[in-house]
Amino acid sequence: MSIPVPHPSGAPAAASDLFRHGLRLLLDKDIDAWVGLWADDGVAEFPFAPDGWPRRLEGREAVAAYMRHYPDHIDLHDFPELRIHETTDARTVVVEMRGVGRLVRTDAPFDMTYIVVATVEDGRFTSCRDYWNPLAVLEPGADFAAGTR
């Protein structure tokens, strides 16, 4: 997957470019850099999260705690189906995507579809609503967020 890096001039990245860059960081397992793309007061929401999983994370630190152990549980390999839709608000994109890889503990395949609504201000994520499939995390080895609940 070809994912561009934000503009080298340091100018704030377009929402679509920042999202693509974030996916590249997830594939590279660079969670610290991915968390660095978030505004201090950014909010992540997971409307379809199953019982026991967080539905709302407020602030960069909460997002960092949630994602800290992600690569220890899910080894992402690719986002083979990525469609980023621009909206009438240049700060917001709607993303349809599929993430594939493997579950580290069991070596079972990981395959999840997502729809994400992401908003960017001043080159940082301020809001991300992630409509992921809750059935995928019921697989043994997928529970990367256990420490944040």
Side-chain angles (χ1 to χ4, degrees):
M1 171 171 66
S2 174
I3 300 174
V5 176
H7 195 278
S9 72
S16 58
D17 291 340
L18 190 67
F19 197 89
R20 283 185 182 93
H21 180 59
L23 293 180
R24 175 79 268 157
L25 293 172
L26 289 175
L27 291 174
D28 291 344
K29 296 158 186 46
D30 191 346
I31 299 303
D32 289 340
W34 183 84
V35 169
L37 300 179
W38 283 79
D40 289 339
D41 60 351
V43 174
E45 296 177 280
F46 311 99
F48 295 155
D51 289 341
W53 281 69
R55 293 214 167 111
R56 182 178 173 90
L57 304 170
E58 294 187 24
R60 182 188 300 157
E61 293 306 315
V63 171
Y66 177 78
M67 289 295 290
R68 182 169 293 119
H69 299 290
Y70 188 92
D72 299 331
H73 297 274
I74 299 172
D75 178 19
L76 282 173
H77 297 166
D78 197 7
F79 293 99
E81 297 172 24
L82 176 65
R83 289 180 295 284
I84 298 179
H85 306 280
E86 304 287 333
T87 69
T88 57
D89 180 348
R91 301 170 306 155
T92 301
V93 291
V94 176
V95 181
E96 298 175 84
M97 63 186 199
R98 180 173 156 237
V100 297
R102 70 179 182 87
L103 297 175
V104 173
R105 191 177 102 203
T106 64
D107 208 34
F110 175 81
D111 192 334
M112 182 165 336
T113 55
Y114 308 79
I115 294 178
V116 178
V117 179
T119 300
V120 171
E121 291 181 28
D122 297 324
R124 301 274 184 246
F125 291 112
T126 57
S127 173
C128 186
R129 283 188 315 282
D130 190 343
Y131 297 89
W132 50 268
N133 178 1
L135 297 177
V137 298
L138 299 179
E139 294 291 323
D143 194 0
F144 69 91
T148 60
R149 296 182 282 186

